[in-house]
Amino acid sequence: MTKQREIGIRELYQQDPVRADELVFGRRAGPNRRGFLRGAGLAAMSAAVGAAIPFHRNMPAGLIPAALAESKDDFKLEGKDGLSVLNDRPVNAETPAHLLDDAITPISRHFVRNNGLVPDRARSMEAGDWTLTIDGEVATPLTLTLDEIKKKFKPVTHQLQIECGGNGRAAFNPPAKGNQWTVGAIGCSEWTGVPMRDLFKAAGIKDSAVYTGYYGEDVHLSGKPDKVVISRGAPIAKMMEPHTLLAYQMNGQDIPFWHGFPARIVAPGWPGSVSGKWVKRIWIRKEVHDGPKMTGTSYRVPWFPPEPGEKVEKKDWRIIESMPVKSLITFPETGTTVTGKTLDVRGHAWAGDNAVKRLDLTMDFGASWVEAKLEKPKNPYAWQHWQAELTFPSKGYYEIWARATDDKGRMQPFAVTWNGKGYLNNSMHRVAVKVVV
Ligand SMILES: Nc1nc2c(c(=O)[nH]1)N[C@H]1C(S)=C(S)[C@@H](COP(=O)(O)O)O[C@H]1N2
Ligand SMILES: [Mo]
């Protein structure tokens, strides 16, 4: 006798999306659309999402309805408010989209991504004998205390987005191993610190410098004191870009222990893993860095789009640099009941090293689009706020989808661009609402 195991709707859609449509909604859908989902199937789906679906004919088959796609599990982390905890050792927690509504992400709502354990020094929030060393391809290696960094170098403050390279991984099919981030491993807080290039210049960075490698104070899960948790870096040009900081404040206060006290790198627009927390050493190298999570397939994607499930040879993987164009709908929240014909919708958009040029919304699965009002970024690498008024043609279940376009003309795709590691999913964010008038 085989034992039946209960599986969640997300897992069901990952295993076989068309079969999931059939199991959940009772009827096999057409090959591309849910237009064939009639009678009992359509009724089941409407019941599941809580209203009739006026545009059901346009609905892609095998795609989990947005009303059911984001997890709602809550769990309390110190200093955090409403984050979904994906893992507790190491701690990984993401922020539901509607809690990212603030222009500047409050500390309590910035996601947390740890590969190891928070160091004791950070827990105590006392810098003590902490120093930062910059060595390698420099004329004079520097070792600085926190006070020296604050006194000798001119601070700057910028709004900077940090997004985990694996944000959106939960939508991969076949699934990719790792934290199953839905959409909330992104934040844009205000960071204060010293441009990294000022520190590098003070150390007399040499022409032979090619790449950096950071070392943090966090503790490996094995507990072994000498085992490095993660050590990544970036090409010198990215590290010398004026918005790449050695930060010591987040939203005007000492960086909280989750986020790297007493100091961290913020290399905005690149995978969050470049932004080393609890940093104590930056090694300037004459070749590409090769620390833990820098080599193999870590934070790399194939240079060509593989077929879902295709095996890709080692030599075809490239280190991820700028993150792709992306956006979030932060109002309304999925599940909202709309009692008027119109609704003000808003959110943010960002595009790695680039700017966002335009944002469009659809409520009929891509048949028509409404252009949103898009603000300029507060500074380069800040996310951009957008807002639009939508008018619904009738009552029913609607999905609002947002699509950002960057200044190079690149747009967010409808579906996941698959790779074996679950990186860089910038498919459109979807929010489900029920219109009752
Ligand atoms: N020392 C250290 N730095 C680190 C990490 C880590 O585990 N250890 N995680 C990285 C990853 S993968 C991400 S996405 C960001 C997350 O930053 P946050 O926790 O402040 O949101 O920190 C990066 N810096
Ligand atoms: Mo990450």
Side-chain angles (χ1 to χ4, degrees), residues 130-142:
W130 178 88
T131 54
L132 173 72
T133 296
I134 295 172
D135 62 0
E137 300 302 302
V138 294
T140 355
L142 279 185

Side-chain angles (χ1 to χ4, degrees), residues 30-103:
N32 304 312
R33 304 213 150 172
R34 283 186 172 129
F36 297 129
L37 195 66
R38 293 200 191 93
L42 187 56
M45 183 178 287
S46 302
V49 301
I53 307 170
F55 291 119
H56 72 88
R57 275 180 205 82
N58 302 344
M59 234 180 156
L63 185 63
I64 181 170
L68 313 173
E70 287 172 34
S71 86
K72 290 241 189 273
D73 307 353
D74 281 359
F75 176 120
K76 189 79 181 124
L77 282 188
E78 199 179 327
K80 296 289 174 181
D81 166 28
L83 269 60
S84 305
V85 177
L86 307 179
N87 203 341
D88 60 4
R89 193 179 189 275
V91 168
N92 290 290
E94 69 171 326
T95 315
H98 69 281
L99 296 183
L100 286 169
D101 195 40
D102 299 86

Side-chain angles (χ1 to χ4, degrees), residues 110-116 162 164 214 216 218 229-230 258-259 264 272-273 275-278 299:
H110 197 285
F111 79 100
V112 179
R113 195 313 182 217
N114 292 344
N115 289 267
I162 299 179
C164 182
Y214 68 71
D218 44 345
V229 175
I230 179 172
W258 291 123
H259 301 291
R264 77 175 299 171
S273 53
S275 294
K277 301 194 279 190
W278 312 290
Y299 299 101

Side-chain angles (χ1 to χ4, degrees), residues 197-249:
R197 65 175 182 182
D198 294 354
L199 298 173
F200 287 5
K201 282 182 187 159
I205 186 168
K206 293 181 180 168
D207 289 345
S208 53
V210 166
Y211 220 91
T212 57
Y214 68 71
Y215 291 85
E217 287 194 305
D218 44 345
V219 180
H220 195 270
L221 292 175
S222 64
K224 290 185 184 146
D226 298 331
K227 203 154 179 193
V228 176
V229 175
I230 179 172
S231 175
R232 304 198 69 247
I236 295 303
K238 175 65 182 173
M239 297 304 287
M240 298 285 275
E241 205 285 334
H243 298 86
T244 298
L245 307 183
L246 178 82
Y248 49 77
Q249 282 188 350

Side-chain angles (χ1 to χ4, degrees), residues 354-390:
N354 303 97
V356 179
K357 200 184 61 187
R358 154 178 196 135
L359 191 126
D360 298 278
L361 297 162
T362 181
M363 57 170 142
D364 52 15
F365 304 103
S368 64
W369 296 87
V370 173
E371 186 176 356
K373 266 196 223 114
L374 176 71
E375 289 180 24
K376 294 216 151 54
K378 176 82 189 342
N379 52 256
Y381 300 95
W383 65 14
Q384 295 168 239
H385 316 303
W386 59 263
Q387 174 271 325
E389 188 184 77
L390 294 183

